[in-house]
Amino acid sequence: MPSSPFDLSGRTALITGSGQGLGLAFARGLAAAGAAVVLNGRDETKLAAAAAGLRTAGARVATAACDVTDAAGLAAAVARIEAEFAPVDILVNNAGIQRRAPLLELTEAQWREVIDTNLTGAFLAARAVAPRMIARGRGKIINVCSVMSEVARPTTGNYAAAKGGLKMLTRAMAVEWAKHGLQANGIAPGYFETELTAPLVANPQFNAWICGRTPAGRWGRPEELAGTAVFLASAASDFVNGQIIVVDGGLLAGL
Ligand code: GCO
């Protein structure tokens, strides 16, 4: 029998913002499917702890600490990964931050840092790896969008604008790079329990609202995103391009 199209053996994935939260869940899921993983983030201590856990689970892991808003840092990190570890076959643009405030109270700095990290960072990381993927004639780019690529809620205007832009950047990557053998797609999580959403989970009113607003009646668990990431990282999605797969317990399906 031929190997499964979902098998990631021999492939290497770079996941930005993967010292914790959804990024670490993506790394665990891709490693479980056979990929070697490179963890990225700004906190080297967090990266080392996350890498140790993955190695204990049998994964082949490297770390590459840099800020995704630093183009030179990204280029150097990718060059080092490819020289010392392995070619980057899969890029998961997961790094993201939240700075919640009503638009009229949002500082310019709070606007810029969310756009710079959540949108520009994905652009810069993709530009660091895409030329190398194009030279090899293959590559997978997975942009972690959000249900906020489609809908907004008060106090998250900067985040929604970034994630809406990331949806369209995904399509821009797809239409320019598909002819080179690359596939660029997105994953749009709904509400998942992570460090980023911890204040919301801890808020009884918000927690009740989300559980009522989500048809599945609960928050998502980060490991529930792994299957979609493996699909988009694998040969199973070689003819899928520019698509955003929503993983939200049905939240966007209805009112
Ligand atoms: C919020 C949350 C959301 C989630 C997620 C939904 O403040 O409403 O932080 O933005 O983090 O992005 O997909």
Side-chain angles (χ1 to χ4, degrees):
M1 284 290 284
S3 66
S4 161
F6 296 91
D7 182 5
L8 297 181
S9 303
R11 295 285 193 259
T12 296
L14 167 60
I15 306 100
T16 65
S18 48
Q20 63 180 24
L22 297 188
L24 181 51
F26 286 126
R28 287 176 176 142
L30 295 174
V37 295
V38 181
L39 305 182
N40 160 264
R42 293 174 295 181
D43 184 331
E44 298 203 34
T45 305
K46 258 186 202 168
L47 290 182
L54 278 161
R55 288 190 187 102
T56 301
R60 186 160 172 263
V61 191
T63 61
C66 74
D67 188 320
V68 293
T69 63
D70 173 4
L74 279 165
V78 170
R80 187 169 57 254
I81 292 163
E82 297 228 339
E84 299 172 8
F85 189 68
V88 176
D89 303 297
I90 304 152
L91 170 65
V92 180
N93 272 318
N94 167 78
I97 60 174
Q98 266 286 17
R99 297 289 183 271
R100 299 181 185 90
L103 288 173
L104 293 180
E105 297 169 25
L106 204 58
T107 65
E108 186 175 336
Q110 287 173 320
W111 169 268
R112 289 185 184 280
E113 59 183 339
V114 170
I115 299 293
D116 285 353
T117 298
N118 297 18
L119 178 57
T120 307
F123 166 68
L124 295 176
R127 272 216 319 195
V129 300
R132 298 166 180 269
M133 290 178 169
I134 289 169
R136 292 187 284 263
R138 73 162 193 243
K140 299 283 188 178
I141 296 173
I142 302 169
N143 294 323
V144 181
C145 299
S146 166
V147 290
M148 295 205 149
S149 299
E150 304 299 338
V151 292
R153 77 174 187 86
T155 74
T156 60
N158 47 359
Y159 187 95
K163 293 298 189 179
L166 188 54
K167 175 179 80 169
M168 291 315 299
L169 177 60
T170 301
R171 293 183 176 149
M173 291 174 182
V175 299
E176 288 193 22
W177 295 340
K179 60 178 173 288
H180 300 297
L182 278 62
Q183 291 81 50
N185 293 287
I187 297 177
Y191 281 80
F192 284 75
E193 291 196 51
T194 67
E195 294 82 354
L196 185 137
T197 58
L200 305 176
V201 178
N203 178 316
Q205 292 73 31
F206 193 96
N207 181 50
W209 175 68
I210 279 295
C211 292
R213 180 66 182 76
T214 303
R218 63 176 174 86
W219 292 72
R221 294 184 292 271
E223 61 270 21
E224 292 180 299
L225 287 163
T228 304
V230 169
F231 166 63
L232 291 176
S234 71
S237 61
D238 280 354
F239 202 54
V240 179
N241 239 312
Q243 299 307 306
I244 311 298
I245 300 180
V246 180
V247 185
D248 69 350
L251 187 145
L252 287 185
L255 292 175

